[in-house]
Amino acid sequence: MLTGAILRDVTLRDGLQLTGKVLPTERKAEIVRELLALGVPELEIGSMARPDLVPPMANTLELVAELTPDELARSWVWVATPRHVEKAAAAGVRNFQYCFSVSDAHNKANIGRTTEDSLAAMPDAVRIAQEAGGRIQLCLATAFTCPFDGPVDPQRVLAIARDARAEGAADIVIADTLGQAHPAQVTSLISAVAASGRWGTPEHRIVFHGHDTWGMGVANSLAAIAAGARVVDGSLGGLGGCPFAPGASGNTSSEDLLFGTRPEWFTPDTLAALVPISERLLAELGEPNRSRVAEGSRSKADAFEWVIRTQE
């Protein structure tokens, strides 16, 4: 496993939210159980976003009700306000990803408030999460570029990361929402966050959330790991993107990230089980499979142990 980093699969949140389709609750639960059974350490399973704005997230709390406490202990839900945390906690959620954008323009488009307003509300979100016995992450979207304002000043990211109002967060998520960053940028920003004095430890992890819009998803994720990230986000087949960020296409493929990082639990047999799970879901959604590893696994290079051999 590359420097101890783990994968969080975000298919059921960031993966689904651009599809426009509501996957049935029982189907979502099936995917949760399939991925956890294979060994995927953590999942992002849904969002408290308004159903009229992000329809695929409409049954998030129904999914939460279907899962066991052990399954929920490995699952994260996206929230943007203290009220979101309160509603999710009442439903049984214990892992909350409190997300807002570094750029005001995107935060207003995505959440309807300024970045400062979101940061000011975070202590209440932290308090509610902790009173429920849960954990909360600080998630910074548009940490590299904004679809409306262009490049984002790294100092703005670091100022939020160091802000006392975020001290209750367990982890910090640095998101390349548009997939426009390159590895040197990722190395620089993740290293700076790690050097800020709080983040980058087992207790306060740095999470890198990358997109593969410009083909740098895996390269950027590996750069983030080398710079101190302990978790990287991916989705099955590279599914997903942000509906409020023009130009944000699919996430980095979970299959590609696993093949690149090689955690101990990920074997050729695991890949052979994972690829059909991904293929079935993408076929149901009518979405393309953007995973290069999935493509390679279906090749005829039979001498390579990672190729999936069909039964004769």
Side-chain angles (χ1 to χ4, degrees):
M1 185 184 229
L2 184 59
T3 66
I6 69 168
L7 170 77
R8 174 172 61 180
D9 184 90
V10 302
T11 302
L12 294 178
R13 201 280 297 183
D14 204 21
L16 290 179
Q17 65 180 6
L18 268 187
T19 65
K21 299 178 182 179
V22 179
L23 206 63
T25 301
E26 59 272 17
R27 181 71 178 103
K28 288 185 176 182
E30 180 183 31
I31 293 168
V32 168
R33 291 174 177 137
E34 287 175 333
L35 294 179
L36 292 179
L38 283 179
V40 176
E42 298 182 17
L43 308 174
E44 188 183 43
I45 63 168
S47 164
M48 298 301 295
R50 283 171 46 184
D52 59 321
L53 297 178
V54 191
M57 299 296 102
N59 57 354
T60 290
L61 294 185
E62 287 82 355
L63 172 60
V64 170
E66 287 290 320
L67 301 179
T68 69
D70 285 346
E71 290 164 345
L72 288 172
R74 294 165 64 184
S75 301
W76 294 85
V77 170
W78 184 99
V79 296
T81 68
R83 178 59 179 152
H84 281 175
V85 179
E86 189 174 44
K87 289 177 64 177
V93 175
R94 292 299 177 263
N95 296 321
F96 310 89
Q97 184 175 219
Y98 184 85
C99 195
F100 58 90
S101 304
V102 178
S103 67
D104 281 315
H106 186 260
N107 208 52
K108 289 176 182 176
N110 195 27
I111 300 174
R113 61 189 62 190
T114 66
T115 300
E116 172 59 26
D117 288 341
S118 289
L119 181 56
M122 188 165 184
D124 280 342
V126 170
R127 174 184 55 79
I128 296 166
Q130 291 179 342
E131 287 175 353
R135 298 180 293 165
I136 192 165
Q137 293 178 330
L138 166 62
C139 174
L140 299 181
T142 63
F144 297 89
T145 54
C146 168
F148 311 110
D149 293 338
V152 171
D153 185 351
Q155 292 304 314
R156 188 169 167 87
V157 178
L158 294 175
I160 298 172
R162 294 168 180 150
D163 196 292
R165 290 171 290 184
E167 285 186 356
D171 308 319
I172 187 169
V173 184
I174 303 298
D176 179 21
T177 304
L178 299 176
Q180 294 172 343
H182 58 80
Q185 281 181 296
V186 173
T187 296
S188 177
L189 185 57
I190 298 297
S191 295
V193 171
S196 66
R198 171 175 171 77
W199 309 107
T201 67
E203 295 77 23
H204 299 292
R205 304 174 301 177
I206 297 174
V207 182
F208 178 71
H209 179 92
H211 285 240
D212 201 38
T213 313
W214 287 73
M216 292 289 104
V218 172
N220 284 339
S221 297
L222 295 179
I225 293 169
R230 292 175 175 265
V231 182
V232 290
D233 285 351
S235 71
L236 295 176
L239 182 68
C242 177
F244 306 104
S249 64
N251 290 276
T252 308
S253 158
S254 291
E255 299 94 321
D256 296 359
L257 287 170
L258 288 169
F259 187 76
T261 56
R262 302 290 179 93
E264 291 181 0
W265 60 267
F266 186 67
T267 66
D269 287 343
T270 310
L271 178 64
L274 179 63
V275 169
I277 293 171
S278 178
E279 291 174 339
R280 178 187 171 196
L281 173 63
L282 295 169
E284 290 172 8
L285 297 170
E287 295 285 340
N289 195 330
R290 300 181 179 92
S291 168
R292 300 303 298 272
V293 166
E295 181 182 7
S297 74
R298 294 299 192 185
S299 73
K300 298 185 182 301
D302 290 341
F304 190 44
E305 64 176 346
W306 292 89
V307 169
I308 298 173
R309 293 168 176 80
T310 57
Q311 296 294 324
E312 297 296 337

mmCIF file of all heavy atoms in Angstrom, residues 224-272:
data_model
loop_
_atom_site.group_PDB
_atom_site.id
_atom_site.type_symbol
_atom_site.label_atom_id
_atom_site.label_comp_id
_atom_site.label_asym_id
_atom_site.label_seq_id
_atom_site.Cartn_x
_atom_site.Cartn_y
_atom_site.Cartn_z
ATOM 1 N N ALA A 224 -0.711 13.779 -4.089
ATOM 2 C CA ALA A 224 -1.277 14.143 -2.793
ATOM 3 C C ALA A 224 -0.831 13.170 -1.709
ATOM 4 O O ALA A 224 -0.472 13.577 -0.593
ATOM 5 C CB ALA A 224 -2.805 14.175 -2.885
ATOM 6 N N ILE A 225 -0.841 11.881 -2.024
ATOM 7 C CA ILE A 225 -0.402 10.877 -1.059
ATOM 8 C C ILE A 225 1.053 11.103 -0.674
ATOM 9 O O ILE A 225 1.418 11.080 0.511
ATOM 10 C CB ILE A 225 -0.607 9.466 -1.632
ATOM 11 C CG1 ILE A 225 -2.098 9.154 -1.777
ATOM 12 C CG2 ILE A 225 0.068 8.414 -0.747
ATOM 13 C CD1 ILE A 225 -2.391 7.903 -2.570
ATOM 14 N N ALA A 226 1.895 11.331 -1.670
ATOM 15 C CA ALA A 226 3.315 11.551 -1.399
ATOM 16 C C ALA A 226 3.541 12.796 -0.550
ATOM 17 O O ALA A 226 4.513 12.877 0.210
ATOM 18 C CB ALA A 226 4.080 11.660 -2.714
ATOM 19 N N ALA A 227 2.617 13.764 -0.651
ATOM 20 C CA ALA A 227 2.761 15.017 0.093
ATOM 21 C C ALA A 227 2.119 14.968 1.475
ATOM 22 O O ALA A 227 2.258 15.912 2.251
ATOM 23 C CB ALA A 227 2.152 16.163 -0.716
ATOM 24 N N GLY A 228 1.411 13.884 1.790
ATOM 25 C CA GLY A 228 0.866 13.756 3.138
ATOM 26 C C GLY A 228 -0.599 13.389 3.247
ATOM 27 O O GLY A 228 -1.113 13.229 4.358
ATOM 28 N N ALA A 229 -1.310 13.252 2.126
ATOM 29 C CA ALA A 229 -2.712 12.833 2.198
ATOM 30 C C ALA A 229 -2.795 11.377 2.637
ATOM 31 O O ALA A 229 -2.013 10.545 2.191
ATOM 32 C CB ALA A 229 -3.394 13.017 0.848
ATOM 33 N N ARG A 230 -3.758 11.068 3.485
ATOM 34 C CA ARG A 230 -3.942 9.707 3.976
ATOM 35 C C ARG A 230 -5.165 9.022 3.382
ATOM 36 O O ARG A 230 -5.354 7.822 3.566
ATOM 37 C CB ARG A 230 -4.041 9.715 5.508
ATOM 38 C CG ARG A 230 -2.723 10.087 6.168
ATOM 39 C CD ARG A 230 -2.859 10.210 7.678
ATOM 40 N NE ARG A 230 -1.551 10.461 8.287
ATOM 41 C CZ ARG A 230 -0.762 9.522 8.781
ATOM 42 N NH1 ARG A 230 -1.144 8.253 8.743
ATOM 43 N NH2 ARG A 230 0.402 9.834 9.321
ATOM 44 N N VAL A 231 -6.002 9.800 2.681
ATOM 45 C CA VAL A 231 -7.199 9.255 2.034
ATOM 46 C C VAL A 231 -7.317 9.917 0.669
ATOM 47 O O VAL A 231 -7.051 11.112 0.523
ATOM 48 C CB VAL A 231 -8.471 9.547 2.854
ATOM 49 C CG1 VAL A 231 -9.702 8.923 2.190
ATOM 50 C CG2 VAL A 231 -8.325 9.058 4.289
ATOM 51 N N VAL A 232 -7.726 9.135 -0.351
ATOM 52 C CA VAL A 232 -8.036 9.693 -1.660
ATOM 53 C C VAL A 232 -9.422 9.223 -2.062
ATOM 54 O O VAL A 232 -9.812 8.093 -1.784
ATOM 55 C CB VAL A 232 -6.994 9.305 -2.739
ATOM 56 C CG1 VAL A 232 -5.671 10.001 -2.476
ATOM 57 C CG2 VAL A 232 -6.801 7.793 -2.810
ATOM 58 N N ASP A 233 -10.167 10.114 -2.704
ATOM 59 C CA ASP A 233 -11.530 9.804 -3.118
ATOM 60 C C ASP A 233 -11.568 9.329 -4.560
ATOM 61 O O ASP A 233 -10.827 9.828 -5.412
ATOM 62 C CB ASP A 233 -12.419 11.049 -3.012
ATOM 63 C CG ASP A 233 -12.801 11.391 -1.584
ATOM 64 O OD1 ASP A 233 -12.533 10.575 -0.672
ATOM 65 O OD2 ASP A 233 -13.381 12.480 -1.371
ATOM 66 N N GLY A 234 -12.469 8.381 -4.838
ATOM 67 C CA GLY A 234 -12.680 7.915 -6.197
ATOM 68 C C GLY A 234 -14.084 7.369 -6.343
ATOM 69 O O GLY A 234 -14.763 7.114 -5.346
ATOM 70 N N SER A 235 -14.525 7.211 -7.586
ATOM 71 C CA SER A 235 -15.839 6.613 -7.826
ATOM 72 C C SER A 235 -15.733 5.529 -8.878
ATOM 73 O O SER A 235 -14.818 5.534 -9.710
ATOM 74 C CB SER A 235 -16.863 7.671 -8.247
ATOM 75 O OG SER A 235 -16.600 8.128 -9.552
ATOM 76 N N LEU A 236 -16.655 4.598 -8.840
ATOM 77 C CA LEU A 236 -16.637 3.478 -9.774
ATOM 78 C C LEU A 236 -16.712 3.981 -11.218
ATOM 79 O O LEU A 236 -17.596 4.766 -11.572
ATOM 80 C CB LEU A 236 -17.800 2.537 -9.498
ATOM 81 C CG LEU A 236 -17.772 1.818 -8.142
ATOM 82 C CD1 LEU A 236 -19.048 0.987 -7.967
ATOM 83 C CD2 LEU A 236 -16.540 0.938 -8.001
ATOM 84 N N GLY A 237 -15.772 3.548 -12.024
ATOM 85 C CA GLY A 237 -15.759 3.923 -13.428
ATOM 86 C C GLY A 237 -15.537 5.389 -13.696
ATOM 87 O O GLY A 237 -15.756 5.869 -14.811
ATOM 88 N N GLY A 238 -15.113 6.153 -12.677
ATOM 89 C CA GLY A 238 -14.917 7.589 -12.852
ATOM 90 C C GLY A 238 -16.221 8.356 -12.954
ATOM 91 O O GLY A 238 -16.261 9.467 -13.494
ATOM 92 N N LEU A 239 -17.288 7.806 -12.408
ATOM 93 C CA LEU A 239 -18.607 8.424 -12.496
ATOM 94 C C LEU A 239 -18.646 9.718 -11.692
ATOM 95 O O LEU A 239 -18.069 9.805 -10.619
ATOM 96 C CB LEU A 239 -19.656 7.447 -11.944
ATOM 97 C CG LEU A 239 -21.126 7.864 -11.980
ATOM 98 C CD1 LEU A 239 -21.629 7.942 -13.420
ATOM 99 C CD2 LEU A 239 -21.963 6.864 -11.177
ATOM 100 N N GLY A 240 -19.378 10.729 -12.206
ATOM 101 C CA GLY A 240 -19.728 11.853 -11.365
ATOM 102 C C GLY A 240 -19.225 13.214 -11.759
ATOM 103 O O GLY A 240 -18.698 13.438 -12.842
ATOM 104 N N GLY A 241 -19.380 14.160 -10.812
ATOM 105 C CA GLY A 241 -19.023 15.548 -11.012
ATOM 106 C C GLY A 241 -19.975 16.445 -10.253
ATOM 107 O O GLY A 241 -20.950 15.992 -9.669
ATOM 108 N N CYS A 242 -19.703 17.748 -10.268
ATOM 109 C CA CYS A 242 -20.500 18.706 -9.509
ATOM 110 C C CYS A 242 -21.516 19.393 -10.416
ATOM 111 O O CYS A 242 -21.131 20.013 -11.408
ATOM 112 C CB CYS A 242 -19.598 19.759 -8.861
ATOM 113 S SG CYS A 242 -20.503 21.043 -7.965
ATOM 114 N N PRO A 243 -22.819 19.331 -10.073
ATOM 115 C CA PRO A 243 -23.828 19.961 -10.921
ATOM 116 C C PRO A 243 -23.794 21.481 -10.897
ATOM 117 O O PRO A 243 -24.430 22.126 -11.724
ATOM 118 C CB PRO A 243 -25.145 19.427 -10.342
ATOM 119 C CG PRO A 243 -24.837 19.061 -8.941
ATOM 120 C CD PRO A 243 -23.413 18.602 -8.941
ATOM 121 N N PHE A 244 -23.056 22.062 -9.948
ATOM 122 C CA PHE A 244 -22.982 23.520 -9.825
ATOM 123 C C PHE A 244 -21.620 24.060 -10.226
ATOM 124 O O PHE A 244 -21.259 25.183 -9.877
ATOM 125 C CB PHE A 244 -23.340 23.935 -8.396
ATOM 126 C CG PHE A 244 -24.663 23.392 -7.950
ATOM 127 C CD1 PHE A 244 -24.734 22.327 -7.073
ATOM 128 C CD2 PHE A 244 -25.843 23.930 -8.439
ATOM 129 C CE1 PHE A 244 -25.962 21.813 -6.678
ATOM 130 C CE2 PHE A 244 -27.079 23.416 -8.049
ATOM 131 C CZ PHE A 244 -27.127 22.360 -7.167
ATOM 132 N N ALA A 245 -20.841 23.242 -10.942
ATOM 133 C CA ALA A 245 -19.513 23.662 -11.398
ATOM 134 C C ALA A 245 -19.367 23.332 -12.873
ATOM 135 O O ALA A 245 -19.002 22.207 -13.227
ATOM 136 C CB ALA A 245 -18.417 22.974 -10.584
ATOM 137 N N PRO A 246 -19.684 24.276 -13.752
ATOM 138 C CA PRO A 246 -19.537 24.014 -15.187
ATOM 139 C C PRO A 246 -18.139 23.512 -15.529
ATOM 140 O O PRO A 246 -17.137 24.105 -15.122
ATOM 141 C CB PRO A 246 -19.802 25.381 -15.814
ATOM 142 C CG PRO A 246 -20.648 26.104 -14.814
ATOM 143 C CD PRO A 246 -20.163 25.628 -13.472
ATOM 144 N N GLY A 247 -18.069 22.403 -16.257
ATOM 145 C CA GLY A 247 -16.774 21.851 -16.650
ATOM 146 C C GLY A 247 -16.250 20.770 -15.742
ATOM 147 O O GLY A 247 -15.211 20.182 -16.015
ATOM 148 N N ALA A 248 -16.962 20.481 -14.645
ATOM 149 C CA ALA A 248 -16.507 19.435 -13.722
ATOM 150 C C ALA A 248 -17.066 18.092 -14.171
ATOM 151 O O ALA A 248 -18.255 17.831 -14.034
ATOM 152 C CB ALA A 248 -16.962 19.744 -12.305
ATOM 153 N N SER A 249 -16.221 17.252 -14.706
ATOM 154 C CA SER A 249 -16.674 15.945 -15.173
ATOM 155 C C SER A 249 -16.370 14.893 -14.114
ATOM 156 O O SER A 249 -16.317 15.193 -12.933
ATOM 157 C CB SER A 249 -16.024 15.604 -16.514
ATOM 158 O OG SER A 249 -14.635 15.478 -16.375
ATOM 159 N N GLY A 250 -16.150 13.671 -14.539
ATOM 160 C CA GLY A 250 -16.081 12.551 -13.620
ATOM 161 C C GLY A 250 -14.991 12.609 -12.573
ATOM 162 O O GLY A 250 -13.962 13.272 -12.723
ATOM 163 N N ASN A 251 -15.256 11.882 -11.489
ATOM 164 C CA ASN A 251 -14.254 11.702 -10.446
ATOM 165 C C ASN A 251 -13.106 10.834 -10.957
ATOM 166 O O ASN A 251 -13.186 10.232 -12.025
ATOM 167 C CB ASN A 251 -14.888 11.008 -9.247
ATOM 168 C CG ASN A 251 -15.874 11.884 -8.513
ATOM 169 O OD1 ASN A 251 -15.504 12.686 -7.677
ATOM 170 N ND2 ASN A 251 -17.152 11.731 -8.832
ATOM 171 N N THR A 252 -12.062 10.757 -10.179
ATOM 172 C CA THR A 252 -11.009 9.794 -10.453
ATOM 173 C C THR A 252 -11.571 8.393 -10.205
ATOM 174 O O THR A 252 -12.288 8.166 -9.239
ATOM 175 C CB THR A 252 -9.797 10.047 -9.551
ATOM 176 O OG1 THR A 252 -9.415 11.423 -9.670
ATOM 177 C CG2 THR A 252 -8.630 9.166 -9.949
ATOM 178 N N SER A 253 -11.271 7.471 -11.076
ATOM 179 C CA SER A 253 -11.806 6.122 -10.981
ATOM 180 C C SER A 253 -11.277 5.383 -9.755
ATOM 181 O O SER A 253 -10.069 5.349 -9.509
ATOM 182 C CB SER A 253 -11.439 5.340 -12.250
ATOM 183 O OG SER A 253 -11.472 3.955 -12.030
ATOM 184 N N SER A 254 -12.184 4.768 -9.007
ATOM 185 C CA SER A 254 -11.768 3.951 -7.859
ATOM 186 C C SER A 254 -10.891 2.787 -8.299
ATOM 187 O O SER A 254 -9.899 2.452 -7.637
ATOM 188 C CB SER A 254 -12.997 3.418 -7.115
ATOM 189 O OG SER A 254 -13.687 4.455 -6.454
ATOM 190 N N GLU A 255 -11.261 2.159 -9.420
ATOM 191 C CA GLU A 255 -10.470 1.048 -9.919
ATOM 192 C C GLU A 255 -9.034 1.478 -10.218
ATOM 193 O O GLU A 255 -8.058 0.777 -9.892
ATOM 194 C CB GLU A 255 -11.105 0.469 -11.186
ATOM 195 C CG GLU A 255 -12.509 -0.085 -10.994
ATOM 196 C CD GLU A 255 -13.599 0.926 -11.305
ATOM 197 O OE1 GLU A 255 -13.430 2.120 -10.964
ATOM 198 O OE2 GLU A 255 -14.622 0.521 -11.882
ATOM 199 N N ASP A 256 -8.889 2.657 -10.836
ATOM 200 C CA ASP A 256 -7.565 3.146 -11.196
ATOM 201 C C ASP A 256 -6.744 3.491 -9.959
ATOM 202 O O ASP A 256 -5.536 3.223 -9.891
ATOM 203 C CB ASP A 256 -7.683 4.363 -12.112
ATOM 204 C CG ASP A 256 -8.335 4.035 -13.455
ATOM 205 O OD1 ASP A 256 -8.672 2.847 -13.685
ATOM 206 O OD2 ASP A 256 -8.503 4.959 -14.264
ATOM 207 N N LEU A 257 -7.400 4.106 -8.973
ATOM 208 C CA LEU A 257 -6.699 4.451 -7.734
ATOM 209 C C LEU A 257 -6.249 3.209 -6.982
ATOM 210 O O LEU A 257 -5.131 3.158 -6.448
ATOM 211 C CB LEU A 257 -7.606 5.301 -6.839
ATOM 212 C CG LEU A 257 -7.824 6.747 -7.302
ATOM 213 C CD1 LEU A 257 -8.920 7.407 -6.467
ATOM 214 C CD2 LEU A 257 -6.531 7.542 -7.211
ATOM 215 N N LEU A 258 -7.103 2.203 -6.936
ATOM 216 C CA LEU A 258 -6.731 0.972 -6.241
ATOM 217 C C LEU A 258 -5.579 0.260 -6.944
ATOM 218 O O LEU A 258 -4.660 -0.252 -6.295
ATOM 219 C CB LEU A 258 -7.942 0.045 -6.141
ATOM 220 C CG LEU A 258 -9.022 0.499 -5.156
ATOM 221 C CD1 LEU A 258 -10.286 -0.334 -5.325
ATOM 222 C CD2 LEU A 258 -8.515 0.420 -3.719
ATOM 223 N N PHE A 259 -5.616 0.233 -8.261
ATOM 224 C CA PHE A 259 -4.534 -0.400 -9.010
ATOM 225 C C PHE A 259 -3.220 0.354 -8.811
ATOM 226 O O PHE A 259 -2.144 -0.254 -8.749
ATOM 227 C CB PHE A 259 -4.895 -0.443 -10.501
ATOM 228 C CG PHE A 259 -3.927 -1.227 -11.339
ATOM 229 C CD1 PHE A 259 -3.929 -2.607 -11.326
ATOM 230 C CD2 PHE A 259 -3.004 -0.577 -12.162
ATOM 231 C CE1 PHE A 259 -3.035 -3.341 -12.103
ATOM 232 C CE2 PHE A 259 -2.111 -1.291 -12.940
ATOM 233 C CZ PHE A 259 -2.126 -2.681 -12.906
ATOM 234 N N GLY A 260 -3.312 1.680 -8.670
ATOM 235 C CA GLY A 260 -2.104 2.480 -8.485
ATOM 236 C C GLY A 260 -1.543 2.449 -7.085
ATOM 237 O O GLY A 260 -0.325 2.517 -6.893
ATOM 238 N N THR A 261 -2.408 2.310 -6.077
ATOM 239 C CA THR A 261 -1.934 2.335 -4.695
ATOM 240 C C THR A 261 -1.715 0.941 -4.107
ATOM 241 O O THR A 261 -0.951 0.785 -3.153
ATOM 242 C CB THR A 261 -2.925 3.101 -3.793
ATOM 243 O OG1 THR A 261 -4.227 2.511 -3.909
ATOM 244 C CG2 THR A 261 -3.007 4.564 -4.211
ATOM 245 N N ARG A 262 -2.397 -0.056 -4.630
ATOM 246 C CA ARG A 262 -2.236 -1.467 -4.249
ATOM 247 C C ARG A 262 -2.333 -1.721 -2.737
ATOM 248 O O ARG A 262 -1.390 -2.233 -2.111
ATOM 249 C CB ARG A 262 -0.886 -2.006 -4.758
ATOM 250 C CG ARG A 262 -0.669 -1.913 -6.248
ATOM 251 C CD ARG A 262 -1.555 -2.889 -7.016
ATOM 252 N NE ARG A 262 -1.332 -2.735 -8.451
ATOM 253 C CZ ARG A 262 -0.443 -3.467 -9.142
ATOM 254 N NH1 ARG A 262 0.254 -4.402 -8.525
ATOM 255 N NH2 ARG A 262 -0.289 -3.263 -10.440
ATOM 256 N N PRO A 263 -3.458 -1.376 -2.110
ATOM 257 C CA PRO A 263 -3.607 -1.770 -0.702
ATOM 258 C C PRO A 263 -3.553 -3.292 -0.578
ATOM 259 O O PRO A 263 -3.834 -4.016 -1.533
ATOM 260 C CB PRO A 263 -4.991 -1.230 -0.334
ATOM 261 C CG PRO A 263 -5.705 -1.095 -1.635
ATOM 262 C CD PRO A 263 -4.668 -0.747 -2.649
ATOM 263 N N GLU A 264 -3.213 -3.768 0.598
ATOM 264 C CA GLU A 264 -3.009 -5.205 0.790
ATOM 265 C C GLU A 264 -4.249 -6.018 0.450
ATOM 266 O O GLU A 264 -4.149 -7.159 -0.010
ATOM 267 C CB GLU A 264 -2.574 -5.478 2.235
ATOM 268 C CG GLU A 264 -1.167 -4.964 2.559
ATOM 269 C CD GLU A 264 -0.774 -5.274 3.988
ATOM 270 O OE1 GLU A 264 -1.599 -5.885 4.718
ATOM 271 O OE2 GLU A 264 0.339 -4.899 4.393
ATOM 272 N N TRP A 265 -5.420 -5.471 0.690
ATOM 273 C CA TRP A 265 -6.661 -6.222 0.460
ATOM 274 C C TRP A 265 -7.031 -6.287 -1.017
ATOM 275 O O TRP A 265 -7.894 -7.081 -1.396
ATOM 276 C CB TRP A 265 -7.816 -5.623 1.254
ATOM 277 C CG TRP A 265 -8.129 -4.183 0.906
ATOM 278 C CD1 TRP A 265 -7.624 -3.072 1.529
ATOM 279 C CD2 TRP A 265 -8.993 -3.702 -0.128
ATOM 280 N NE1 TRP A 265 -8.127 -1.933 0.949
ATOM 281 C CE2 TRP A 265 -8.966 -2.292 -0.082
ATOM 282 C CE3 TRP A 265 -9.790 -4.325 -1.085
ATOM 283 C CZ2 TRP A 265 -9.711 -1.490 -0.947
ATOM 284 C CZ3 TRP A 265 -10.528 -3.534 -1.971
ATOM 285 C CH2 TRP A 265 -10.488 -2.137 -1.889
ATOM 286 N N PHE A 266 -6.381 -5.484 -1.856
ATOM 287 C CA PHE A 266 -6.761 -5.398 -3.267
ATOM 288 C C PHE A 266 -5.897 -6.344 -4.086
ATOM 289 O O PHE A 266 -4.720 -6.125 -4.306
ATOM 290 C CB PHE A 266 -6.592 -3.957 -3.760
ATOM 291 C CG PHE A 266 -7.096 -3.740 -5.166
ATOM 292 C CD1 PHE A 266 -8.444 -3.838 -5.452
ATOM 293 C CD2 PHE A 266 -6.227 -3.436 -6.195
ATOM 294 C CE1 PHE A 266 -8.922 -3.635 -6.737
ATOM 295 C CE2 PHE A 266 -6.687 -3.228 -7.488
ATOM 296 C CZ PHE A 266 -8.034 -3.328 -7.758
ATOM 297 N N THR A 267 -6.515 -7.424 -4.548
ATOM 298 C CA THR A 267 -5.826 -8.472 -5.290
ATOM 299 C C THR A 267 -6.443 -8.601 -6.680
ATOM 300 O O THR A 267 -7.502 -8.009 -6.963
ATOM 301 C CB THR A 267 -5.973 -9.813 -4.558
ATOM 302 O OG1 THR A 267 -7.369 -10.194 -4.590
ATOM 303 C CG2 THR A 267 -5.496 -9.708 -3.104
ATOM 304 N N PRO A 268 -5.840 -9.380 -7.566
ATOM 305 C CA PRO A 268 -6.491 -9.630 -8.860
ATOM 306 C C PRO A 268 -7.908 -10.182 -8.723
ATOM 307 O O PRO A 268 -8.798 -9.825 -9.497
ATOM 308 C CB PRO A 268 -5.550 -10.635 -9.524
ATOM 309 C CG PRO A 268 -4.199 -10.285 -8.982
ATOM 310 C CD PRO A 268 -4.460 -9.926 -7.552
ATOM 311 N N ASP A 269 -8.136 -11.021 -7.729
ATOM 312 C CA ASP A 269 -9.485 -11.543 -7.513
ATOM 313 C C ASP A 269 -10.449 -10.437 -7.084
ATOM 314 O O ASP A 269 -11.633 -10.435 -7.470
ATOM 315 C CB ASP A 269 -9.466 -12.652 -6.458
ATOM 316 C CG ASP A 269 -8.854 -13.954 -6.988
ATOM 317 O OD1 ASP A 269 -8.757 -14.103 -8.225
ATOM 318 O OD2 ASP A 269 -8.458 -14.789 -6.161
ATOM 319 N N THR A 270 -9.948 -9.506 -6.262
ATOM 320 C CA THR A 270 -10.788 -8.381 -5.845
ATOM 321 C C THR A 270 -11.167 -7.530 -7.044
ATOM 322 O O THR A 270 -12.329 -7.121 -7.196
ATOM 323 C CB THR A 270 -10.051 -7.507 -4.810
ATOM 324 O OG1 THR A 270 -9.518 -8.329 -3.772
ATOM 325 C CG2 THR A 270 -11.005 -6.485 -4.205
ATOM 326 N N LEU A 271 -10.203 -7.260 -7.903
ATOM 327 C CA LEU A 271 -10.494 -6.475 -9.110
ATOM 328 C C LEU A 271 -11.513 -7.202 -9.984
ATOM 329 O O LEU A 271 -12.440 -6.582 -10.524
ATOM 330 C CB LEU A 271 -9.217 -6.216 -9.902
ATOM 331 C CG LEU A 271 -9.409 -5.448 -11.224
ATOM 332 C CD1 LEU A 271 -9.942 -4.041 -10.951
ATOM 333 C CD2 LEU A 271 -8.103 -5.391 -12.012
ATOM 334 N N ALA A 272 -11.365 -8.508 -10.101
ATOM 335 C CA ALA A 272 -12.289 -9.292 -10.924
ATOM 336 C C ALA A 272 -13.711 -9.250 -10.375
ATOM 337 O O ALA A 272 -14.675 -9.390 -11.129
ATOM 338 C CB ALA A 272 -11.809 -10.741 -11.005
#
